[in-house]
Amino acid sequence: MREYATAGDRVIACCRMPEDAEELHALAADSDEKISIHRLDVTDPKSVDSLRADIGDKTIDILINNAGVMGGDQQSAFDMDYNGWQDVFAINTLGPFRVIEALIDAVKKSTSPKIITVSSYMGTMGSNSTGSYAYRSSKAAVNKVMHVLAEDLRGDGIIVVPVHPGWVKTEMGGPNADIDVEESAGSLRKLIAGLTQADSGQFFKWNGERHEW
């Protein structure tokens, strides 16, 4: 968000509780009105519909789905919180699709439309690590959703790709992660800017490399 606003782009920023998003409000205040803040819960159809109404007849050039949760600690073999698993799927897999469905008309107005969904290498079939069943399965599922959606929207000229942002030093990634937020965000913006129709339906790393499924 900071990357795009600094570059002079208009940013529609969404979060579940805008009243508590102090850092986001501070960023918006310094953005020369380039950032607008909207309430959004991707699991709530009424909230998504409200965002669609807020956007109205605006054009969306790049739609970035980045809402995501890791889920609780109880998602290991033979010790699964099934309600928690459903919650993770609702946010990580159904959420992006719900938002895309609601905002697709605004995306279609763009002359260079792109839909980006933040995924994870933990959802790849080539990953042999254990545990985190809920998170891994939700990311594998959203990868396939975007793969299919890329084909459905190819005739509209819309580029659709999931991306792996790297292991980033965030609240989810922790302090021992590989890269900081600035490196990940800056590299992703560069990747997104260079995407072409030939890339639609592929899975990319933050650094521009194609990722195995």
Side-chain angles (χ1 to χ4, degrees):
M1 178 172 21
R2 188 190 305 272
E3 287 281 334
Y4 285 103
T6 301
D9 297 311
R10 297 286 180 180
V11 178
I12 299 171
C14 302
C15 61
R16 287 182 299 134
M17 294 178 287
E19 62 275 11
D20 295 334
E22 295 181 4
E23 186 175 351
L24 179 55
H25 280 287
L27 181 60
D30 292 336
S31 72
D32 194 24
E33 299 185 346
K34 289 187 170 57
I35 298 176
S36 61
I37 302 173
H38 302 261
R39 185 181 303 276
L40 176 63
D41 180 345
V42 300
T43 68
D44 181 355
K46 292 183 178 179
S47 178
V48 176
D49 287 343
S50 180
L51 174 64
R52 175 169 51 190
D54 287 347
I55 290 175
D57 61 357
K58 293 185 179 70
T59 297
I60 296 177
D61 296 309
I62 305 172
L63 173 58
I64 301 178
N65 292 298
N66 70 332
V69 294
M70 188 73 187
D73 295 330
Q74 192 180 345
Q75 49 175 306
S76 59
F78 314 117
D79 182 23
M80 176 58 67
D81 174 2
Y82 286 93
N83 290 331
W85 197 347
Q86 289 177 329
D87 291 341
V88 172
F89 252 81
I91 297 169
N92 293 0
T93 307
L94 277 64
F97 192 85
R98 191 189 303 278
V99 171
I100 293 167
E101 185 179 36
L103 303 183
I104 191 63
D105 288 341
V107 175
K108 286 181 177 180
K109 291 179 181 180
S110 174
T111 57
S112 182
K114 298 173 183 177
I115 296 174
I116 311 298
T117 296
V118 177
S119 184
S120 171
Y121 77 98
M122 291 178 68
T124 63
M125 295 303 171
S127 173
N128 294 321
S129 301
T130 61
S132 300
Y133 281 81
Y135 183 77
R136 292 179 190 278
S137 60
S138 72
K139 290 302 186 181
V142 81
N143 282 350
K144 188 58 184 179
V145 169
M146 296 305 137
H147 190 211
V148 175
L149 190 63
E151 294 305 314
D152 278 339
L153 297 179
R154 196 173 295 279
D156 294 303
I158 300 175
I159 298 170
V160 181
V161 300
V163 296
H164 167 52
W167 185 20
V168 188
K169 295 176 182 178
T170 61
E171 184 176 344
M172 180 184 290
N176 297 321
D178 293 332
I179 59 176
D180 58 30
V181 171
E182 290 74 19
E183 180 180 353
S184 176
S187 298
L188 283 171
R189 187 169 74 88
K190 182 178 179 181
L191 164 67
I192 293 168
L195 291 173
T196 69
Q197 279 293 331
D199 299 317
S200 192
Q202 302 295 321
F203 183 22
F204 284 92
K205 300 178 184 178
W206 80 99
N207 60 7
E209 296 177 2
R210 290 194 180 184
H211 203 307
E212 63 179 347
W213 288 104

